[in-house]
Amino acid sequence: MAYMNEDGQWIVLMGLLVAVGLFFLALIINQSALVGQTTAEGVLEFPKNDIQDLRTAVFDYVDQFPYPGDPRVQEDIIAISLERKNSLVDFSVGPKVQVSGRDLYPITIHYYNGVTKYDETVYY
């Protein structure tokens, strides 16, 4: 047994390592596909445009009707959000306060559509 040919053993060993590597790679790709799908669903379910439209309507309301404003317009915004977007909306405009030398209205906005809850207080 002076000389043994071990080339076949190396081929089998490398084949085993490649098979194990492919198994782990397939497992990682499978998990990343699941995570990517749920992330995409979360992004699609977040009503970013609806919230931006609501903020624009509230800011227009504040621009056109100074505090305390016309309560009928506020009721219309709430009713339209419920009818068109199936979302519960509530907002309130407080009296002017001085912020950094400017008189601004504190506006509290609440948005809820059954999946996403969004609360914000902004000075406008």
Side-chain angles (χ1 to χ4, degrees), residues 21-33:
L22 286 174
F23 175 75
F24 283 119
L25 185 62
L27 184 66
I28 290 171
I29 289 174
N30 186 23
Q31 291 298 320
S32 68

Side-chain angles (χ1 to χ4, degrees), residues 36-51 85-87 111-118:
Q37 179 183 1
T38 56
T39 303
E41 288 173 354
V43 168
L44 290 175
E45 289 177 359
F46 185 73
K48 178 181 175 183
N49 291 332
D50 295 345
I51 293 171
K85 305 291 184 177
N86 293 327
S87 58
Y111 176 92
Y112 182 67
N113 68 351
V115 177
T116 303
K117 183 177 180 181
Y118 177 81

Side-chain angles (χ1 to χ4, degrees), residues 51-61:
I51 293 171
Q52 288 176 344
D53 292 343
L54 172 64
R55 292 182 81 225
T56 302
V58 170
F59 294 156
D60 289 344
Y61 166 76

Side-chain angles (χ1 to χ4, degrees), residues 9 20 32 45 49-50 58 70-71 75-77 80 97 109 111 117-119 124:
Q9 292 175 355
V20 170
S32 68
E45 289 177 359
N49 291 332
D50 295 345
V58 170
D70 189 356
E75 292 168 4
D76 286 345
I77 292 173
I80 288 171
V97 294
I109 298 173
Y111 176 92
K117 183 177 180 181
Y118 177 81
D119 292 305
Y124 181 78

Side-chain angles (χ1 to χ4, degrees), residues 11-13 24 31 34 36 39-40 49 52 54 62 73 77-78 80 89 95 97-98 101-102 104 119:
I11 292 172
V12 172
L13 182 62
F24 283 119
Q31 291 298 320
L34 291 175
T39 303
N49 291 332
Q52 288 176 344
L54 172 64
V62 172
V73 177
I77 292 173
I78 293 170
I80 288 171
V89 170
V97 294
Q98 191 164 11
R102 297 175 54 195
L104 301 172
D119 292 305

